[in-house]
Amino acid sequence: MKNTILVGIDSSTSSATALAWAIAEAVLRGSRLKLVTVVTPELISDPRIEVTFLDAATTVLRDAEATAVAAGLEVEISAVRGQPAGTLVELSRTALFVVVGTTGLGGFAGRLMGSVSSTLAAHAHCPTVVVPADQTAPMYPERAGGIVVAVEPGILNEAVWAGAEMATVHGLPLTLLAVRADTLGGARWLPDAYTDDPYPAEVDSLMEKMVDAVASEFPAVSLQQRVLVGNPAHLLVQATDTADLMILGTRGHSGLAGLLWGSVSQNVLQHSRTTTMVVPAHATTN
């Protein structure tokens, strides 16, 4: 059973927030941490400077390690030379989660939310957790949204089961949220057309079956389903205002096209106001 939480570390505030989330999760689960920072070789022309960068990275890691050890955790640290995204993707093969912040400095060279987190979300072998830099606590106990999973009606993918597991571990309610664009075939769909449109009834039936399936496996979880109509990206980002955790899934395709709803999920990752988890279709826990 995988029990290591992998964390991308650098000297940024965002990285510190990601570390705080990972520590809280590891304490709750009895997991160990692997803290990694990556020095990008293309940015360094002088080997002596590379050594300096690696030394500086190790100092940052030691500080992060001390914080995690103080929380009673078993910790491994590693400062490596390579590409941040590729390194973390490869290391994710043996991780329970890989956790990063929304922005990064130093070895992560600029906006972690740009290429690194997007690549992780698309290619990681375990769930990717992206923590906003301004998040003040690992979870928001005062929020009403709990765990929210963006779903496609009738599809019980790995994201749904990850959401149920997170809800169980944290004792939070779980919402399965489906969004429907308000245009079909170029014609605007009107809410008052429900009586003439069989699609809403079909969606409700599929969602109810999903709720029943999850409830049968996780009977202790407080569970509900919602179907919203409008701009999918806007509605999902709006849902992050009250959610402790937003979970997205992937379709299992390769590359960035594998992200749920493509540009929609990228929009959510970039604008989410809570921690976001992206669960690959091929995620494994063993």
Side-chain angles (χ1 to χ4, degrees):
M1 192 76 162
K2 293 180 180 179
N3 199 36
T4 297
I5 298 176
L6 174 66
V7 190
I9 294 292
D10 60 25
S11 59
S12 68
T13 301
S14 181
S15 174
T17 309
L19 175 63
W21 190 96
I23 287 173
E25 196 69 22
V27 168
L28 190 61
R29 294 174 177 272
S31 300
R32 63 195 298 271
L33 293 184
K34 182 177 179 67
L35 311 181
V36 178
T37 192
V38 186
V39 174
T40 307
E42 284 81 358
L43 300 179
I44 305 167
S45 58
D46 188 330
R48 292 170 297 179
I49 298 177
E50 180 175 336
V51 171
T52 300
F53 270 55
L54 286 170
D55 287 346
T58 300
T59 298
V60 172
L61 283 170
R62 291 293 185 195
D63 290 341
E65 178 187 32
T67 301
V69 169
L73 297 174
E74 180 183 349
V75 186
E76 175 187 354
I77 64 172
S78 180
V80 299
R81 178 181 185 273
Q83 295 297 328
T87 298
L88 293 177
V89 166
E90 184 59 30
L91 291 173
S92 73
R93 292 181 184 277
T94 58
L96 178 64
F97 305 119
V98 54
V99 186
V100 294
T102 54
T103 59
L105 302 171
F108 289 95
R111 290 190 59 78
L112 192 59
M113 174 44 73
S115 62
V116 174
S117 61
S118 294
T119 301
L120 276 173
H123 295 287
H125 301 276
C126 68
T128 298
V129 178
V130 181
V131 186
D134 59 353
Q135 184 157 316
T136 56
M139 288 288 184
Y140 297 99
E142 74 278 7
R143 290 190 169 195
I147 310 296
V148 178
V149 184
V151 302
E152 296 179 75
I155 299 180
L156 288 165
N157 60 11
E158 293 297 332
V160 174
W161 300 119
E165 193 271 346
M166 288 293 290
T168 300
V169 170
H170 289 273
L172 291 170
L174 174 65
T175 298
L176 304 183
L177 174 61
V179 295
R180 178 185 180 186
D182 60 4
T183 58
L184 291 176
R188 186 174 178 83
W189 179 84
L190 300 175
D192 60 4
Y194 255 56
T195 55
D196 300 321
D197 185 354
Y199 184 79
E202 179 185 351
V203 168
D204 287 343
S205 175
L206 290 172
M207 294 294 288
E208 288 170 5
K209 289 178 180 178
M210 291 178 72
V211 168
D212 290 344
V214 175
S216 68
E217 296 291 331
F218 295 87
V221 172
S222 175
L223 186 62
Q224 66 171 329
Q225 58 97 351
R226 297 179 66 198
V227 179
L228 302 178
V229 179
N231 181 289
H234 174 77
L235 291 172
L236 290 176
V237 170
Q238 190 175 61
T240 68
D241 282 333
T242 57
D244 288 282
L245 178 69
M246 170 63 75
I247 300 182
L248 307 173
T250 70
R251 294 182 183 275
H253 304 309
S254 62
L256 294 181
L259 283 173
L260 175 67
W261 299 321
S263 62
V264 173
S265 60
Q266 287 296 306
N267 222 317
V268 176
L269 278 175
Q270 292 174 27
H271 300 289
S272 176
R273 293 181 281 269
T274 192
T275 297
T276 303
M277 176 186 289
V278 180
V279 182
H282 57 274
T284 60
T285 57
N286 296 316

